[in-house]
Amino acid sequence: MRHALLILSLVFSIPSARAGTLSWNQTLWNPAEGTQIHPTEFDKLAGQPTIFVLGEEHYNPPVQLAEAWLITRIAHELPKASQLILGWEFLNTEDRFRINEHYAQYKDHTLSSEEFLQQLFPAGPATTEYAPVLESARAHGAALVPTNLSRAQKSPVTRGGIEALDPTLLPKDFILGGPLYWERFQEAMGPHPLPYPIENYFAAQSLTDEVMATELLRLPSDSSRVLITGAFHGDYRQGVVTSLERRSPNVPVVYIRIVDAQVWTEDELRAFFVHPRYGPVADLLYVVNEPSRP
């Protein structure tokens, strides 16, 4: 965390627009300072090897378009010999061979984006919201890596705790999420009764964070890496962000939260920037759509 915050303080020291912005849609913010960031300042940050975690709302087209934009900005700043590494929470490591095979076809334009998505998720309709993300990855020659375990592989943990996991699937130096992450998790799960102890669900959540971090770092590279994951896994620099920092202490980890503002007022959006207990929600906030203005 200290590496990312140091870089952010250097890069974003140029004064930025404060309250009273005319438009929120497609704007970047430093939530800790409440200031808007010009995209060229983000480019400076992307100009060195960095791990970017994009915290998303799943299946929301404006959010996925923002991810594609961010991937493109990052890729443009890479040295010519570097290959961006893109990890995605939705892709499971047990499907690695099949993913690589179909991605090669996709890069050769043998498969369309919709066909490639159908190959990635054959059990259901193609998740076409993610077509812009894949098109950006293909355009910039990114490596696409699976970063998760399947539900079937994680289900023993939900039923019996981390001890029930196949030991060959347990990441080296596995650690449960910290107390504030546990606190947020309990609140998110709510008061409703669960079929298994809530501690088991938290163990499965922590396992996902640890696996994503391990798999994103698996390929040896001095280039930048991007992970697309559900926002809860990275908000307040907890979860997978903590796991990545622990496993790659010499590379800055920058968490970018992508927010669809249309369901909030401006006051609610600004209040979301910094939580009174957990602190800034992210290093950077990318806002899509406009909040309501009562």
Side-chain angles (χ1 to χ4, degrees), residues 2-245:
R2 61 182 182 274
H3 301 288
L5 294 179
L6 174 61
I7 291 172
L8 285 168
S9 67
L10 294 174
V11 171
F12 300 140
S13 59
I14 299 175
S16 304
R18 286 189 176 270
T21 182
L22 296 177
S23 176
W24 286 86
N25 187 35
Q26 299 180 34
T27 56
L28 270 169
W29 294 79
N30 178 347
E33 300 295 331
T35 54
Q36 188 176 347
I37 302 303
H38 194 275
T40 56
E41 297 305 310
F42 174 75
D43 293 343
K44 295 177 185 179
L45 182 63
Q48 59 182 306
T50 303
I51 300 170
F52 294 94
V53 179
L54 310 185
E56 70 161 13
E57 300 169 23
H58 298 321
Y59 310 112
N60 186 337
V63 170
Q64 278 75 64
L65 281 171
E67 290 167 346
W69 182 87
L70 288 164
I71 290 169
T72 295
R73 302 289 299 208
I74 294 166
H76 280 165
E77 298 304 315
L78 295 180
K80 290 184 179 179
S82 298
Q83 182 184 35
L84 182 68
I85 296 172
L86 174 62
W88 188 8
E89 179 192 357
F90 283 7
L91 301 182
N92 297 328
T93 57
E94 65 178 7
D95 299 324
R96 193 186 313 275
F97 177 80
R98 180 172 59 82
I99 292 167
N100 290 341
E101 179 182 21
H102 293 307
Y103 189 45
Q105 295 174 330
Y106 180 61
K107 289 190 292 185
D108 290 340
H109 294 269
T110 304
L111 295 176
S112 67
S113 296
E114 185 170 348
E115 289 169 335
F116 181 40
L117 283 161
Q118 190 67 66
Q119 293 291 344
L120 290 177
F121 309 107
T127 54
T128 53
E129 299 91 341
Y130 289 90
V133 170
L134 295 176
E135 289 162 5
S136 180
R138 177 174 64 181
H140 299 290
L144 182 64
V145 297
T147 61
N148 208 344
L149 300 179
S150 68
R151 288 185 179 182
Q153 288 173 318
K154 290 186 285 189
S155 61
V157 178
T158 304
R159 296 193 302 268
I162 198 66
E163 297 80 8
L165 179 71
D166 178 346
T168 64
L169 300 176
L170 187 68
K172 184 180 179 181
D173 302 325
F174 170 84
I175 295 178
L176 284 171
L180 293 181
Y181 193 39
W182 165 239
E183 184 178 295
R184 280 204 305 124
F185 186 81
Q186 289 177 292
E187 182 180 356
M189 295 295 282
H192 306 294
L194 299 168
Y196 305 106
I198 190 172
E199 288 82 0
N200 294 0
Y201 292 89
F202 186 62
Q205 175 84 8
S206 299
L207 176 63
T208 298
D209 294 326
E210 294 278 85
V211 170
M212 287 195 294
T214 300
E215 295 299 327
L216 186 69
L217 298 172
R218 180 182 293 274
L219 287 178
S221 175
D222 293 329
S223 186
S224 290
R225 303 169 196 259
V226 175
L227 175 67
I228 295 175
T229 185
F232 194 91
H233 286 283
D235 282 355
Y236 308 104
R237 296 186 56 82
Q238 298 171 358
V240 69
V241 176
T242 301
S243 296
L244 284 164
E245 287 190 317

